[in-house]
Every structure is written in structure tokens, then in C-alpha cells.
Amino acid sequence: MLRSLPRAASGSAPFRVHPQRIQPNTGHLPAATCPFEARQDQRRYAGIHAISNPTLAGIEKRWEGMPPQQQADLWMALRDRMKVNWHEMTLQEKKAAYWIAFGPHGPRSLPPPGEGKKIFWYTMLGVGVSGVIFLLIRTQSRPPPKTMTAQYQAMTNDYLKAQRTEPITGVSSEGYKGKGMIQSKPRKGPPPDEDEE
């Protein structure tokens, strides 16, 4: 009785575990619940014939020019072929599937030749235009205020010493050797007048 069971199972309708049955504690459908089911899936896709070599020949050059529907059809056919054992796929199918998935097309396409030089020269043009605008604004602007001269700032130091401002650590303290308020370069020309204070 036990010996005839495998023969009866192989001769009758194939036994199949239901893939719709959800595995406990995982919440998703199992891809293949047993090795027998995986073999059944391979047999189902084994009936799909190989894609012809002329269809896949030169796919690297033709892919960008193909209409989107034709690209989708070819990719679906290759996807179905990839569901079988990969040893049954032709070398052209393997190359085409790899190139479509990872090749330099679409967002992964290589930049056109000379793009780096073009970016460099447009950047230099932008920097040059901004420099010209900056110089034009500087030539039309007012001169710096009188308070931004070293002479005026030295007079401010003298005023602060006379007023005894910050006698502990500031300009008025004993032995102070810092610059005080002086932060600008000396101005060419006469020092500011007394009425400019």
C-alpha cells in the first residue's frame, strides 16, 4: 500500500499546497511553501519559449529609441524568462536582462561628451558677470563713512581714555597694549577735522 502511494500521486493530478494560505505570524503569502511547489512553478514557466536573438541583438543601441510599450513588453518577456532556471536562458537573454536592469540608460545614462567643459565655461561666465555687477555697484556707491578710518578710530581711543571708559580691562586700564577701536587701515590724506568728530 505504501509503495504504490508515490506512483499514484505522480500519475494523478499533482498535489499542490495552496499559496493563498497565509503563514502564521508573518502576514504575507509564502513564495514557495515546499520544494515540490517550487518545481511546479519552474515547470509552469518552462513552457515559455526563449526570446529570439534578433529581438535582443543590439538592444544596447536600440533601447533608447524603442517606444515605451515595446520596452515594457520586452522587459515583461525577459522577466518571465528569468523565473525559470537561469541555466535554461540563452546568453543573449542574460545579457539583455542585465543591461536593461543595470545599463547606462535613462537616469543612469552617461553625460554627453563635452558637458564638463560646458558646465565649467557657464560657471566662469556667471562668476564674470557677477564680478562686473559688483564693480559697477562699487563705482557708483558712496565713499566709506568717516568713522571707518584709522585716524578717526585713534581719536575715539583718545576720547575713551579721557572719559575713563572700562578702567579695569579696556582702553583706559593701566598698561593696555591692544588696538582699542582701531580696525581700519590708515587713510591717505589729512586727518579728519575737529568738527568731524
Side-chain angles (χ1 to χ4, degrees):
M1 178 76 180
L2 290 176
R3 287 187 182 174
S4 62
L5 211 69
R7 270 188 246 144
S10 64
S12 64
F15 170 75
R16 230 172 126 73
V17 176
H18 295 286
Q20 284 79 18
R21 187 173 299 153
I22 297 176
Q23 292 179 346
N25 299 330
T26 60
H28 65 279
L29 296 174
T33 54
C34 66
F36 181 74
E37 185 176 344
R39 283 196 303 271
Q40 287 294 95
D41 287 342
Q42 282 186 353
R43 283 190 205 130
R44 181 174 20 163
Y45 291 113
I48 298 172
H49 57 82
I51 301 170
S52 64
N53 282 342
T55 305
L56 300 175
I59 194 69
E60 299 89 4
K61 297 172 185 166
R62 294 184 299 117
W63 183 258
E64 292 289 331
M66 290 171 68
Q69 184 60 42
Q70 192 176 357
Q71 288 178 350
D73 292 342
L74 182 59
W75 175 243
M76 291 301 186
L78 281 171
R79 190 190 66 177
D80 290 341
R81 282 292 292 160
M82 287 188 285
K83 290 180 181 177
V84 301
N85 188 349
W86 274 52
H87 295 292
E88 297 174 14
M89 290 177 64
T90 65
L91 183 62
Q92 285 289 95
E93 289 174 330
K94 291 177 187 176
K95 285 182 178 179
Y98 182 83
W99 192 86
I100 291 171
F102 303 108
H105 57 83
R108 293 184 302 272
S109 61
L110 300 173
E115 185 179 18
K117 289 180 183 177
K118 188 187 293 185
I119 290 172
F120 174 77
W121 287 116
Y122 277 119
T123 304
M124 290 297 108
L125 178 68
V127 170
V129 167
S130 63
V132 167
I133 292 172
F134 173 76
L135 291 175
L136 283 174
I137 291 172
R138 290 285 294 188
T139 57
Q140 301 300 318
S141 64
R142 297 178 182 171
K146 62 180 182 178
T147 57
M148 295 303 294
T149 60
Q151 292 87 349
Y152 189 92
Q153 292 161 3
M155 291 169 57
T156 305
N157 278 348
D158 295 339
Y159 178 78
L160 293 174
K161 287 179 186 176
Q163 295 294 318
R164 305 254 329 131
T165 305
E166 290 191 59
I168 298 173
T169 59
V171 178
S172 302
S173 62
E174 292 183 28
Y176 180 77
K177 295 181 181 167
K179 291 183 176 181
M181 296 295 156
I182 299 175
Q183 57 181 344
S184 301
K185 295 179 182 177
R187 182 175 74 171
K188 295 177 183 176
D193 298 332
E194 291 295 326
D195 58 346
E196 291 183 2
E197 290 183 39

